Amino acid sequence: VEKMKPSAVIVSQFVYADSSQSDLRNALLTLQSISPNILLIENKPIFPDEKDFMVGRPLVMLPYQPPKSFSLSEMQIKDQNASNQLADWARENTISTMNFDSLFCTKENCARYGGSNWLYWDDDHFSVAGAALTIPQLVSFLQRF
């Protein structure tokens, strides 16, 4: 980043509730001193069955049939709260943030299947279809520079 001097830097990460945020915060401040246009992407919606979703099973076990959505009350929020804390800190330090929850969640539930596609590749990553949903927001950020 220091060598290339990009007009913007996009930082995507996953914040765990039981991890210290000090190193990440220091890294963001360092990046900001080099390139003032930093975008921090917040945690994506975290589904409660992450240990089973898109994880291979031994042949002797029945395949897992993942739900295409979960009610909002079932979603895992412990790590989401940590992400929210980091995002609040970032905004206080004039670092832009982006949250994709509204692309996947309503007031009632969160979907990881849309149209005819899974929106997640595994428990931690969007599929191509899920990532495509984020493009308008990312383009909007990048067009400012």
Side-chain angles (χ1 to χ4, degrees):
V1 171
E2 194 167 45
K3 180 180 176 184
M4 300 300 290
K5 304 277 192 233
S7 58
V9 176
I10 299 174
V11 178
S12 179
Q13 45 54 54
F14 189 88
V15 180
Y16 292 96
D18 58 355
S19 297
S20 169
Q21 294 184 12
S22 62
D23 287 343
L24 186 52
R25 289 178 182 195
N26 288 336
L28 287 167
L29 290 174
T30 299
L31 285 171
Q32 187 181 39
S33 71
I34 299 166
S35 176
N37 304 312
I38 306 296
L39 173 64
L40 174 67
I41 297 178
E42 300 176 41
N43 284 10
K44 63 182 175 20
I46 306 164
F47 292 91
D49 64 342
E50 63 184 328
K51 68 177 182 51
D52 294 315
F53 181 66
M54 299 298 190
V55 174
R57 291 183 167 203
L59 293 176
V60 296
M61 295 178 70
L62 293 175
Y64 178 64
Q65 299 297 320
K68 294 180 178 179
S69 67
F70 280 93
S71 70
L72 206 53
S73 64
E74 294 177 279
M75 296 297 287
Q76 197 267 84
I77 59 168
K78 180 179 67 165
D79 295 323
Q80 189 65 45
N81 289 338
S83 177
N84 293 344
Q85 289 173 348
L86 180 63
D88 288 343
W89 172 89
R91 287 186 291 272
E92 289 169 6
N93 287 277
T94 66
I95 296 172
S96 298
T97 63
M98 192 169 288
N99 184 306
F100 296 131
D101 285 1
S102 65
L103 299 175
F104 303 92
C105 301
T106 66
K107 290 182 180 182
E108 292 84 34
N109 63 49
C110 291
R112 63 175 164 206
Y113 189 88
S116 59
N117 297 300
W118 286 103
L119 303 175
Y120 283 73
W121 175 255
D122 60 21
D123 67 316
D124 292 320
H125 302 91
F126 292 137
S127 67
V128 171
L133 294 176
T134 69
I135 291 172
Q137 285 180 262
L138 291 168
V139 166
S140 176
F141 173 78
L142 293 171
Q143 285 178 334
R144 299 188 313 199
F145 311 105

